[in-house]
């Protein structure tokens, strides 16, 4: 029964990541997803040896949030989700400033 429970938990995690990936396309939810889920997303990516599917799904969520592969890889080496969240906010600020200058 133990391995059955593990498989069910894994499926639930994958379903949750698929849902997050869809929600991450919606701009107003991005910062909330980053604030509440980024540490777990990076943990799933770090545990890629344990489950490649979880790592790949986490990567898709991060890409949907607007992170590039390089940004994610750099932050994984430091394993600090706060730095990645700060980078997200900084990039967003630059975008808003550029849009304001263009007006």
């Amino acid at each position: 029964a133990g391995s059955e429970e593990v498989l069910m938990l894994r499926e639930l995690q994958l379903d949750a990541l698929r849902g997050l990936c869809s929600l991450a396309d919606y701009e107003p939810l991005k910062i909330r997803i980053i604030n509440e889920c980024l540490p777990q997303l990076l943990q799933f990516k770090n545990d890629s040896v344990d489950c490649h599917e979880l790592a790949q799904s986490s990567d898709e969520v991060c890409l949907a949030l607007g992170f590039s592969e390089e940004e994610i890889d750099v932050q994984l080496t430091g394993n600090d989700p706060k730095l990645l969240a700060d980078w997200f906010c900084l990039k967003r600020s630059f975008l808003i400033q550029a849009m304001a200058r263009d007006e």
Side-chain angles (χ1 to χ4, degrees):
S3 65
E4 211 173 280
E5 291 171 1
V6 169
L7 288 174
M8 185 162 52
L9 178 61
R10 180 81 25 95
E11 273 306 309
L12 288 172
Q13 290 170 325
L14 287 169
D15 287 343
L17 287 171
R18 287 183 200 109
L20 267 181
C21 193
S22 295
L23 293 173
D25 285 332
Y26 184 57
E27 200 64 37
L29 289 179
K30 287 185 182 199
I31 195 69
R32 187 168 187 179
I33 292 170
I34 287 170
N35 286 338
E36 295 182 19
C37 302
L38 194 58
Q40 187 65 44
L41 289 171
L42 295 183
Q43 184 66 43
F44 284 148
K45 286 182 65 53
N46 278 334
D47 293 342
S48 62
V49 173
D50 185 36
C51 181
H52 179 71
E53 283 180 294
L54 284 176
Q56 186 175 358
S57 292
S58 295
D59 193 41
E60 290 171 11
V61 175
C62 289
L63 292 173
L65 289 169
F67 295 114
S68 70
E69 289 281 350
E70 295 80 27
E71 292 166 345
I72 297 166
D73 290 343
V74 165
Q75 292 309 319
L76 279 177
T77 58
N79 200 22
D80 189 348
K82 181 160 176 30
L83 290 176
L84 194 56
D86 289 346
W87 178 242
F88 175 84
C89 292
L90 186 62
K91 282 192 339 183
R92 186 170 255 190
S93 295
F94 289 153
L95 178 64
I96 291 170
Q97 288 175 5
M99 289 169 53
R101 278 194 304 267
D102 289 343
E103 288 181 354

XYZ file of all heavy atoms in Angstrom:
812
model
N 0.830 -1.202 0.000
C 0.000 0.000 0.000
C 0.870 1.260 0.000
O 0.449 2.291 -0.478
C -0.922 -0.002 1.203
N 2.088 1.167 0.537
C 2.971 2.335 0.606
C 3.333 2.886 -0.751
O 3.298 4.091 -0.981
N 3.696 2.005 -1.693
C 4.072 2.481 -3.022
C 2.861 3.023 -3.777
O 2.986 3.930 -4.587
C 4.755 1.382 -3.832
O 3.846 0.328 -4.077
N 1.685 2.476 -3.475
C 0.454 2.972 -4.090
C 0.178 4.403 -3.644
O -0.217 5.258 -4.439
C -0.703 2.056 -3.685
C -1.797 1.955 -4.725
C -2.807 0.903 -4.328
O -2.534 -0.298 -4.539
O -3.851 1.314 -3.779
N 0.398 4.676 -2.345
C 0.203 6.023 -1.806
C 1.208 7.005 -2.401
O 0.865 8.144 -2.702
C 0.328 6.007 -0.287
C -0.815 5.286 0.396
C -0.579 5.095 1.881
O 0.460 5.538 2.399
O -1.457 4.487 2.523
N 2.420 6.550 -2.574
C 3.456 7.398 -3.172
C 3.081 7.757 -4.603
O 3.205 8.912 -5.028
C 4.844 6.708 -3.125
C 5.857 7.450 -3.966
C 5.320 6.584 -1.688
N 2.591 6.769 -5.356
C 2.180 7.031 -6.737
C 1.009 8.002 -6.798
O 0.963 8.879 -7.659
C 1.828 5.720 -7.450
C 3.001 4.809 -7.791
C 2.498 3.492 -8.367
C 3.945 5.496 -8.759
N 0.050 7.852 -5.875
C -1.093 8.757 -5.856
C -0.647 10.174 -5.494
O -1.092 11.151 -6.104
C -2.161 8.278 -4.873
C -3.397 9.154 -4.952
S -4.933 8.506 -4.262
C -4.518 8.001 -2.649
N 0.242 10.305 -4.520
C 0.771 11.609 -4.147
C 1.512 12.252 -5.324
O 1.333 13.443 -5.610
C 1.715 11.486 -2.947
C 2.369 12.782 -2.484
C 1.332 13.803 -2.054
C 3.358 12.507 -1.374
N 2.290 11.467 -6.029
C 3.026 11.964 -7.192
C 2.063 12.482 -8.263
O 2.270 13.535 -8.842
C 3.910 10.832 -7.737
C 4.742 11.129 -8.915
C 6.052 11.868 -8.671
N 6.683 11.774 -7.395
C 7.645 10.932 -7.037
N 8.084 10.026 -7.864
N 8.173 10.979 -5.841
N 0.981 11.739 -8.511
C -0.022 12.166 -9.492
C -0.697 13.468 -9.067
O -0.939 14.346 -9.891
C -1.081 11.075 -9.717
C -0.697 10.065 -10.761
C -0.320 10.676 -12.108
O -1.090 11.491 -12.653
O 0.758 10.338 -12.613
N -1.003 13.574 -7.776
C -1.606 14.813 -7.272
C -0.656 15.995 -7.437
O -1.073 17.099 -7.819
C -1.997 14.655 -5.801
C -3.200 13.763 -5.515
C -3.352 13.533 -4.014
C -4.470 14.377 -6.089
N 0.622 15.773 -7.164
C 1.614 16.837 -7.342
C 1.707 17.252 -8.808
O 1.760 18.447 -9.119
C 2.986 16.379 -6.828
C 3.046 16.250 -5.331
C 4.315 15.572 -4.855
O 4.844 14.674 -5.507
N 4.805 15.991 -3.701
N 1.712 16.272 -9.703
C 1.775 16.586 -11.135
C 0.533 17.345 -11.588
O 0.628 18.307 -12.353
C 1.960 15.308 -11.955
C 3.348 14.680 -11.889
C 3.329 13.291 -12.517
C 4.380 15.564 -12.571
N -0.633 16.941 -11.107
C -1.875 17.651 -11.444
C -1.829 19.093 -10.942
O -2.235 20.026 -11.644
C -3.094 16.939 -10.857
C -3.430 15.637 -11.582
O -2.938 15.437 -12.720
O -4.169 14.825 -11.006
N -1.334 19.275 -9.717
C -1.228 20.627 -9.158
C -0.267 21.487 -9.987
O -0.543 22.666 -10.249
C -0.761 20.558 -7.701
N 0.838 20.899 -10.415
C 1.798 21.650 -11.226
C 1.208 22.017 -12.586
O 1.433 23.125 -13.088
C 3.092 20.849 -11.404
C 3.971 20.768 -10.159
C 5.100 19.770 -10.372
C 4.525 22.134 -9.796
N 0.437 21.119 -13.172
C -0.225 21.434 -14.447
C -1.190 22.601 -14.273
O -1.272 23.496 -15.108
C -0.943 20.210 -14.994
C -0.005 19.155 -15.536
C -0.771 17.966 -16.148
N 0.101 16.821 -16.200
C -0.002 15.736 -15.438
N -0.984 15.626 -14.558
N 0.856 14.743 -15.558
N -1.937 22.599 -13.175
C -2.851 23.703 -12.886
C -2.110 25.007 -12.667
O -2.507 26.053 -13.180
N -1.012 24.941 -11.913
C -0.201 26.141 -11.684
C 0.353 26.696 -12.990
O 0.434 27.910 -13.172
C 0.972 25.821 -10.749
C 0.776 26.058 -9.275
C 2.045 25.706 -8.515
C 0.331 27.454 -8.968
N 0.732 25.796 -13.878
C 1.273 26.230 -15.168
C 0.231 27.032 -15.936
O 0.544 28.075 -16.519
C 1.742 25.021 -15.971
S 2.755 25.448 -17.394
N -1.002 26.592 -15.917
C -2.077 27.330 -16.587
C -2.328 28.669 -15.907
O -2.503 29.691 -16.569
C -3.367 26.508 -16.586
O -3.207 25.354 -17.358
N -2.340 28.670 -14.589
C -2.569 29.910 -13.845
C -1.418 30.901 -13.999
O -1.627 32.110 -13.943
C -2.782 29.595 -12.357
C -4.050 28.823 -12.012
C -4.048 28.433 -10.540
C -5.294 29.628 -12.358
N -0.213 30.390 -14.214
C 0.962 31.247 -14.327
C 0.924 32.117 -15.581
O 1.643 33.107 -15.675
C 2.241 30.415 -14.304
N 0.083 31.754 -16.537
C -0.075 32.589 -17.727
C -0.873 33.856 -17.429
O -0.838 34.809 -18.198
C -0.787 31.811 -18.846
C 0.131 30.791 -19.500
O 1.362 31.009 -19.503
O -0.379 29.779 -19.999
N -1.610 33.873 -16.333
C -2.449 35.005 -15.959
C -1.615 35.980 -15.134
O -1.218 35.695 -14.003
C -3.668 34.495 -15.178
C -4.667 35.547 -14.813
C -5.272 36.336 -15.787
C -5.021 35.752 -13.497
C -6.204 37.305 -15.449
C -5.956 36.710 -13.142
C -6.547 37.484 -14.127
O -7.461 38.446 -13.783
N -1.321 37.122 -15.718
C -0.381 38.090 -15.143
C -0.657 38.441 -13.671
O 0.271 38.460 -12.866
C -0.374 39.349 -16.015
C 0.842 40.211 -15.854
C 2.137 39.531 -16.286
O 2.150 38.780 -17.268
O 3.151 39.763 -15.595
N -1.909 38.724 -13.287
C -2.139 39.102 -11.882
C -1.803 38.006 -10.861
O -1.603 38.294 -9.695
C -3.640 39.430 -11.841
C -3.983 39.806 -13.239
C -3.104 38.938 -14.107
N -1.738 36.749 -11.282
C -1.447 35.662 -10.340
C 0.042 35.340 -10.230
O 0.453 34.617 -9.319
C -2.206 34.397 -10.750
C -3.714 34.426 -10.550
C -4.331 33.115 -11.026
C -4.063 34.675 -9.092
N 0.850 35.862 -11.133
C 2.272 35.486 -11.158
C 2.974 35.763 -9.833
O 3.666 34.895 -9.297
C 2.995 36.194 -12.304
C 2.631 35.611 -13.640
C 3.433 36.217 -14.761
C 2.945 35.593 -16.069
N 3.861 35.735 -17.138
N 2.813 36.954 -9.282
C 3.538 37.295 -8.055
C 3.055 36.441 -6.884
O 3.840 36.044 -6.027
C 3.469 38.810 -7.751
C 4.509 39.199 -6.706
C 2.089 39.230 -7.316
C 5.918 39.112 -7.190
N 1.774 36.123 -6.877
C 1.248 35.263 -5.808
C 1.828 33.852 -5.909
O 2.188 33.241 -4.897
C -0.268 35.226 -5.879
C -0.879 34.504 -4.721
C -2.345 34.722 -4.640
N -2.832 34.133 -3.407
C -4.068 34.173 -3.045
N -4.950 34.804 -3.786
N -4.450 33.598 -1.930
N 1.901 33.333 -7.120
C 2.492 32.000 -7.323
C 3.956 32.014 -6.902
O 4.433 31.097 -6.227
C 2.332 31.551 -8.793
C 0.845 31.296 -9.096
C 3.159 30.292 -9.073
C 0.546 31.089 -10.570
N 4.663 33.076 -7.274
C 6.074 33.181 -6.908
C 6.226 33.234 -5.385
O 7.055 32.532 -4.801
C 6.729 34.397 -7.595
C 6.901 34.092 -9.079
C 8.054 34.753 -6.945
C 7.303 35.267 -9.916
N 5.417 34.063 -4.733
C 5.525 34.208 -3.277
C 5.172 32.928 -2.533
O 5.776 32.622 -1.506
C 4.632 35.351 -2.789
C 5.198 36.703 -3.133
O 6.391 36.849 -3.367
N 4.338 37.700 -3.178
N 4.188 32.195 -3.032
C 3.696 31.045 -2.273
C 4.246 29.698 -2.732
O 4.242 28.752 -1.954
C 2.169 31.026 -2.324
C 1.564 32.234 -1.625
C 0.048 32.234 -1.621
O -0.544 31.158 -1.823
O -0.527 33.312 -1.419
N 4.703 29.600 -3.969
C 5.053 28.277 -4.514
C 6.499 28.140 -4.987
O 6.936 27.013 -5.241
C 4.122 27.939 -5.683
S 2.390 27.947 -5.246
N 7.211 29.239 -5.155
C 8.546 29.149 -5.747
C 9.497 28.228 -4.990
O 10.194 27.426 -5.619
C 9.152 30.543 -5.927
C 10.374 30.617 -6.823
C 10.075 30.088 -8.221
C 10.884 32.044 -6.905
N 9.538 28.280 -3.645
C 10.455 27.350 -2.961
C 10.164 25.882 -3.299
O 11.082 25.102 -3.539
C 10.208 27.639 -1.474
C 9.733 29.056 -1.449
C 8.910 29.216 -2.705
N 8.882 25.526 -3.340
C 8.533 24.132 -3.654
C 8.860 23.796 -5.109
O 9.312 22.696 -5.407
C 7.050 23.884 -3.371
C 6.666 22.434 -3.500
C 7.347 21.551 -2.465
O 7.418 21.905 -1.300
N 7.859 20.412 -2.880
N 8.633 24.755 -6.016
C 8.967 24.527 -7.427
C 10.458 24.230 -7.581
O 10.850 23.304 -8.290
C 8.587 25.741 -8.282
C 7.098 25.983 -8.488
C 6.878 27.333 -9.156
C 6.481 24.877 -9.316
N 11.282 25.026 -6.912
C 12.729 24.808 -6.997
C 13.126 23.490 -6.339
O 14.034 22.812 -6.812
C 13.486 25.983 -6.378
C 13.321 27.320 -7.099
C 14.173 28.392 -6.425
C 13.659 27.217 -8.569
N 12.425 23.126 -5.269
C 12.711 21.843 -4.618
C 12.412 20.679 -5.563
O 13.201 19.750 -5.681
C 11.880 21.710 -3.337
C 12.182 20.463 -2.561
C 13.593 20.467 -2.003
O 14.048 21.477 -1.488
N 14.277 19.350 -2.106
N 11.280 20.758 -6.257
C 10.955 19.721 -7.238
C 12.016 19.655 -8.330
O 12.388 18.587 -8.789
C 9.587 19.967 -7.875
C 8.416 19.611 -7.003
C 7.236 20.326 -7.098
C 8.471 18.566 -6.097
C 6.136 20.004 -6.318
C 7.383 18.235 -5.303
C 6.207 18.960 -5.416
N 12.501 20.828 -8.762
C 13.530 20.844 -9.804
C 14.828 20.232 -9.282
O 15.515 19.540 -10.005
C 13.776 22.261 -10.302
C 12.648 22.779 -11.187
C 12.930 24.146 -11.712
C 14.094 24.215 -12.637
N 14.108 23.319 -13.771
N 15.151 20.494 -8.032
C 16.371 19.934 -7.442
C 16.284 18.429 -7.255
O 17.295 17.741 -7.268
C 16.669 20.589 -6.090
C 17.367 21.911 -6.245
O 18.051 22.153 -7.229
N 17.179 22.780 -5.277
N 15.078 17.926 -7.068
C 14.873 16.490 -6.851
C 14.638 15.748 -8.165
O 13.958 14.727 -8.193
C 13.682 16.254 -5.909
C 13.959 16.738 -4.504
O 15.137 16.924 -4.165
O 12.990 16.922 -3.749
N 15.199 16.253 -9.244
C 14.934 15.671 -10.559
C 15.391 14.217 -10.666
O 14.867 13.464 -11.471
C 15.583 16.512 -11.663
O 16.981 16.543 -11.497
N 16.339 13.811 -9.857
C 16.789 12.419 -9.880
C 15.654 11.520 -9.385
O 15.420 10.441 -9.910
C 18.048 12.239 -8.999
C 18.422 10.777 -8.876
C 19.191 13.055 -9.561
N 14.931 11.997 -8.383
C 13.836 11.229 -7.797
C 12.662 11.107 -8.767
O 12.087 10.037 -8.928
C 13.379 11.883 -6.493
C 12.323 11.079 -5.772
O 12.405 9.838 -5.805
O 11.407 11.688 -5.194
N 12.305 12.206 -9.424
C 11.167 12.159 -10.346
C 11.355 13.196 -11.450
O 11.171 14.394 -11.226
C 9.857 12.407 -9.615
S 8.435 12.313 -10.725
N 11.705 12.717 -12.604
C 11.947 13.603 -13.746
C 10.686 14.369 -14.135
O 10.758 15.529 -14.519
C 12.479 12.791 -14.927
C 12.726 13.616 -16.140
N 13.759 14.524 -16.216
C 12.050 13.706 -17.318
C 13.719 15.136 -17.395
N 12.688 14.649 -18.077
N 9.526 13.730 -14.012
C 8.270 14.384 -14.393
C 7.977 15.603 -13.535
O 7.535 16.633 -14.032
C 7.096 13.408 -14.284
C 6.991 12.414 -15.411
C 5.786 11.513 -15.196
O 5.812 10.744 -14.213
O 4.840 11.596 -15.993
N 8.223 15.495 -12.222
C 8.008 16.643 -11.338
C 8.958 17.777 -11.680
O 8.571 18.945 -11.699
C 8.190 16.247 -9.870
C 7.065 15.461 -9.217
C 7.438 15.074 -7.801
C 5.772 16.253 -9.234
N 10.205 17.437 -11.960
C 11.188 18.452 -12.320
C 10.786 19.152 -13.618
O 10.864 20.379 -13.725
C 12.576 17.831 -12.454
N 10.354 18.388 -14.591
C 9.966 18.955 -15.882
C 8.722 19.831 -15.739
O 8.661 20.929 -16.299
C 9.713 17.838 -16.886
C 9.441 18.336 -18.286
C 9.312 17.185 -19.285
O 9.456 16.024 -18.932
N 9.044 17.517 -20.520
N 7.738 19.387 -14.967
C 6.529 20.176 -14.759
C 6.839 21.462 -13.997
O 6.282 22.518 -14.297
C 5.482 19.371 -13.993
O 5.011 18.305 -14.787
N 7.735 21.383 -13.021
C 8.152 22.584 -12.284
C 8.842 23.568 -13.222
O 8.632 24.778 -13.137
C 9.104 22.212 -11.154
O 8.444 21.422 -10.208
N 9.650 23.038 -14.116
C 10.336 23.874 -15.096
C 9.327 24.592 -15.991
O 9.476 25.784 -16.273
C 11.276 23.010 -15.937
C 12.247 23.836 -16.744
O 12.772 24.844 -16.206
O 12.490 23.486 -17.916
N 8.276 23.898 -16.393
C 7.244 24.504 -17.240
C 6.526 25.639 -16.504
O 6.217 26.669 -17.098
C 6.249 23.438 -17.709
C 6.850 22.478 -18.718
C 5.956 21.293 -19.031
O 4.766 21.313 -18.629
O 6.443 20.352 -19.664
N 6.280 25.464 -15.205
C 5.652 26.530 -14.420
C 6.581 27.745 -14.365
O 6.147 28.880 -14.580
C 5.288 26.058 -12.993
C 4.758 27.222 -12.163
C 4.268 24.931 -13.039
N 7.864 27.502 -14.099
C 8.827 28.611 -14.032
C 8.908 29.353 -15.363
O 8.971 30.585 -15.387
C 10.206 28.094 -13.625
S 10.293 27.560 -11.899
N 8.893 28.630 -16.452
C 8.923 29.266 -17.773
C 7.637 30.059 -18.017
O 7.683 31.166 -18.557
C 9.134 28.224 -18.865
C 10.507 27.553 -18.869
C 10.543 26.412 -19.889
C 11.614 28.545 -19.146
N 6.493 29.523 -17.587
C 5.221 30.239 -17.740
C 5.211 31.515 -16.897
O 4.560 32.498 -17.256
C 4.052 29.330 -17.358
N 5.950 31.504 -15.793
C 6.052 32.699 -14.955
C 6.926 33.772 -15.593
O 6.931 34.914 -15.159
C 6.612 32.340 -13.577
C 5.671 31.554 -12.671
C 6.425 31.024 -11.454
C 4.496 32.421 -12.240
N 7.681 33.382 -16.608
C 8.509 34.353 -17.318
C 9.992 34.228 -17.064
O 10.774 35.042 -17.544
N 10.400 33.219 -16.303
C 11.830 33.011 -16.072
C 12.433 32.298 -17.267
O 11.799 31.434 -17.872
C 12.066 32.164 -14.821
C 11.637 32.813 -13.549
C 10.600 32.289 -12.804
C 12.261 33.960 -13.091
C 10.187 32.880 -11.627
C 11.868 34.560 -11.915
C 10.826 34.023 -11.184
N 13.664 32.648 -17.590
C 14.371 31.922 -18.643
C 15.080 30.728 -18.019
O 15.284 30.674 -16.813
C 15.387 32.837 -19.331
O 16.464 33.121 -18.453
N 15.462 29.786 -18.864
C 16.194 28.604 -18.382
C 17.457 29.019 -17.621
O 17.778 28.456 -16.586
C 16.587 27.702 -19.561
C 15.438 26.977 -20.195
C 15.002 25.756 -19.413
O 15.712 25.355 -18.479
O 13.943 25.223 -19.735
N 18.163 30.030 -18.150
C 19.418 30.453 -17.535
C 19.181 31.021 -16.140
O 19.933 30.744 -15.214
C 20.137 31.505 -18.398
C 20.599 30.995 -19.747
C 19.470 30.942 -20.784
O 18.507 31.721 -20.684
O 19.556 30.101 -21.688
N 18.122 31.826 -15.976
C 17.825 32.402 -14.665
C 17.514 31.312 -13.657
O 17.976 31.353 -12.517
C 16.630 33.361 -14.761
C 16.925 34.608 -15.542
C 15.665 35.378 -15.918
O 14.553 34.835 -15.829
O 15.820 36.537 -16.311
N 16.754 30.329 -14.090
C 16.383 29.229 -13.193
C 17.634 28.441 -12.816
O 17.862 28.136 -11.641
C 15.336 28.317 -13.857
C 14.050 29.102 -14.120
C 15.051 27.097 -12.987
C 13.084 28.399 -15.054
N 18.471 28.120 -13.792
C 19.677 27.346 -13.530
C 20.621 28.085 -12.583
O 21.197 27.488 -11.677
C 20.408 27.018 -14.836
C 19.647 26.005 -15.678
O 18.755 25.322 -15.130
O 19.926 25.909 -16.885
N 20.765 29.387 -12.787
C 21.652 30.172 -11.921
C 21.148 30.137 -10.488
O 21.910 29.948 -9.545
C 21.764 31.631 -12.431
C 22.366 32.536 -11.375
C 22.593 31.681 -13.700
N 19.837 30.296 -10.306
C 19.286 30.310 -8.954
C 19.303 28.934 -8.313
O 19.411 28.814 -7.097
C 17.878 30.895 -8.950
C 17.858 32.362 -9.285
C 18.839 33.177 -8.441
O 18.984 32.950 -7.243
N 19.532 34.097 -9.067
N 19.213 27.890 -9.118
C 19.272 26.545 -8.553
C 20.641 26.275 -7.948
O 20.748 25.561 -6.956
C 18.960 25.493 -9.614
C 17.478 25.274 -9.898
C 17.310 24.259 -11.024
C 16.745 24.802 -8.668
N 21.666 26.853 -8.533
C 22.993 26.626 -7.965
C 23.092 27.258 -6.588
O 23.728 26.726 -5.703
C 24.108 27.182 -8.879
O 23.900 28.578 -9.075
C 24.119 26.463 -10.211
N 22.437 28.399 -6.394
C 22.416 29.026 -5.081
C 21.286 28.502 -4.215
O 21.264 28.709 -3.011
N 20.316 27.848 -4.846
C 19.158 27.266 -4.168
C 18.447 28.288 -3.280
O 18.076 27.998 -2.158
C 19.569 26.038 -3.358
C 18.363 25.167 -3.055
O 17.349 25.230 -3.733
N 18.472 24.361 -2.020
N 18.273 29.511 -3.786
C 17.623 30.561 -3.012
C 16.429 31.121 -3.783
O 16.595 31.964 -4.665
C 18.625 31.667 -2.700
C 18.084 32.680 -1.717
O 16.865 32.655 -1.440
O 18.866 33.485 -1.221
N 15.221 30.668 -3.460
C 14.040 31.139 -4.177
C 13.803 32.634 -3.988
O 13.236 33.292 -4.847
C 12.897 30.314 -3.588
C 13.416 29.682 -2.367
C 14.905 29.653 -2.468
N 14.267 33.198 -2.860
C 14.075 34.630 -2.620
C 14.812 35.461 -3.664
O 14.285 36.459 -4.154
C 14.525 35.003 -1.216
C 14.314 36.480 -0.926
C 14.284 36.764 0.529
C 14.163 38.220 0.866
N 13.473 39.083 -0.027
N 16.013 35.036 -4.029
C 16.764 35.762 -5.056
C 16.051 35.709 -6.403
O 15.999 36.705 -7.123
C 18.175 35.189 -5.188
C 19.123 35.446 -4.031
C 20.452 34.740 -4.263
C 19.330 36.927 -3.820
N 15.486 34.570 -6.730
C 14.752 34.437 -7.989
C 13.486 35.299 -7.958
O 13.146 35.952 -8.945
C 14.412 32.971 -8.253
C 13.957 32.614 -9.660
C 14.977 33.038 -10.710
C 13.689 31.130 -9.771
N 12.806 35.348 -6.822
C 11.615 36.202 -6.682
C 11.998 37.676 -6.799
O 11.302 38.461 -7.461
C 10.931 35.927 -5.343
N 13.100 38.063 -6.177
C 13.574 39.453 -6.290
C 13.907 39.792 -7.739
O 13.614 40.900 -8.211
C 14.804 39.682 -5.411
C 14.475 39.695 -3.928
O 13.273 39.791 -3.581
O 15.417 39.595 -3.117
N 14.523 38.864 -8.439
C 14.867 39.072 -9.852
C 13.600 39.274 -10.676
O 13.539 40.129 -11.540
C 15.698 37.900 -10.370
C 16.056 38.009 -11.814
C 15.702 37.152 -12.818
C 16.844 39.024 -12.443
N 16.212 37.584 -14.011
C 16.919 38.731 -13.807
C 17.491 40.164 -11.971
C 17.600 39.524 -14.714
C 18.168 40.964 -12.867
C 18.224 40.635 -14.226
N 12.558 38.495 -10.388
C 11.281 38.634 -11.079
C 10.727 40.049 -10.882
O 10.311 40.705 -11.832
C 10.281 37.595 -10.556
C 8.903 37.751 -11.120
C 8.580 37.196 -12.347
C 7.924 38.445 -10.427
C 7.301 37.338 -12.872
C 6.650 38.585 -10.937
C 6.344 38.036 -12.171
N 10.718 40.515 -9.634
C 10.192 41.856 -9.334
C 11.039 42.945 -9.990
O 10.499 43.935 -10.496
C 10.131 42.072 -7.824
S 8.893 41.044 -7.009
N 12.340 42.770 -10.009
C 13.228 43.754 -10.636
C 12.977 43.829 -12.142
O 12.864 44.931 -12.707
C 14.688 43.374 -10.355
C 15.759 44.347 -10.813
C 15.607 45.682 -10.098
C 17.134 43.776 -10.554
N 12.857 42.681 -12.792
C 12.573 42.678 -14.236
C 11.234 43.340 -14.525
O 11.096 44.084 -15.492
C 12.553 41.248 -14.780
C 13.906 40.654 -14.989
C 13.909 39.363 -15.782
C 12.639 38.621 -15.820
N 12.699 37.347 -16.524
N 10.258 43.084 -13.696
C 8.933 43.671 -13.871
C 9.001 45.194 -13.714
O 8.363 45.932 -14.459
C 7.979 43.065 -12.861
C 6.557 43.494 -13.052
C 5.673 42.681 -12.179
N 5.005 41.730 -13.034
C 4.023 40.973 -12.650
N 3.617 41.012 -11.419
N 3.438 40.155 -13.484
N 9.792 45.670 -12.764
C 9.961 47.119 -12.568
C 10.598 47.763 -13.797
O 10.190 48.855 -14.213
C 10.834 47.402 -11.344
O 10.188 46.976 -10.180
N 11.593 47.099 -14.352
C 12.232 47.621 -15.566
C 11.224 47.720 -16.709
O 11.217 48.698 -17.454
C 13.398 46.736 -16.005
C 14.606 46.818 -15.116
C 15.483 45.743 -15.031
C 14.881 47.945 -14.357
C 16.605 45.802 -14.209
C 16.002 48.018 -13.543
C 16.856 46.946 -13.487
N 10.387 46.716 -16.840
C 9.374 46.716 -17.892
C 8.393 47.864 -17.705
O 8.068 48.583 -18.651
C 8.633 45.372 -17.900
C 7.506 45.235 -18.925
C 8.056 45.319 -20.344
C 6.768 43.928 -18.717
N 7.932 48.075 -16.486
C 6.993 49.170 -16.212
C 7.647 50.524 -16.489
O 7.031 51.412 -17.094
C 6.494 49.078 -14.749
C 5.603 47.842 -14.601
C 5.747 50.353 -14.346
C 5.257 47.506 -13.153
N 8.906 50.697 -16.111
C 9.622 51.947 -16.381
C 9.776 52.173 -17.876
O 9.595 53.293 -18.361
C 10.999 51.932 -15.709
C 10.930 52.061 -14.215
C 12.292 51.923 -13.564
O 13.311 51.812 -14.237
N 12.312 51.896 -12.240
N 10.090 51.124 -18.611
C 10.266 51.258 -20.055
C 8.929 51.629 -20.703
O 8.886 52.464 -21.620
C 10.789 49.949 -20.641
N 7.854 51.040 -20.238
C 6.538 51.361 -20.799
C 6.165 52.814 -20.488
O 5.589 53.507 -21.326
C 5.484 50.399 -20.238
C 5.617 48.993 -20.772
S 4.607 47.745 -19.916
C 2.996 48.428 -19.978
N 6.507 53.278 -19.287
C 6.198 54.666 -18.916
C 6.997 55.648 -19.761
O 6.487 56.711 -20.150
C 6.487 54.873 -17.427
N 8.239 55.320 -20.074
C 9.078 56.194 -20.908
C 8.539 56.274 -22.336
O 8.637 57.293 -22.988
C 10.517 55.689 -20.941
C 11.340 56.110 -19.751
C 12.816 55.870 -20.008
N 13.116 54.488 -20.362
C 13.461 53.537 -19.520
N 13.552 53.803 -18.245
N 13.732 52.324 -19.947
N 7.968 55.162 -22.808
C 7.465 55.115 -24.176
C 6.187 55.927 -24.344
O 5.819 56.267 -25.473
C 7.208 53.669 -24.611
C 8.507 52.907 -24.821
O 9.562 53.563 -24.952
O 8.462 51.671 -24.852
N 5.484 56.234 -23.275
C 4.225 56.973 -23.381
C 4.407 58.427 -23.647
O 5.181 59.152 -23.624
C 3.400 56.799 -22.114
C 2.833 55.409 -22.011
C 1.990 55.243 -20.751
O 1.928 56.150 -19.920
O 1.388 54.180 -20.612
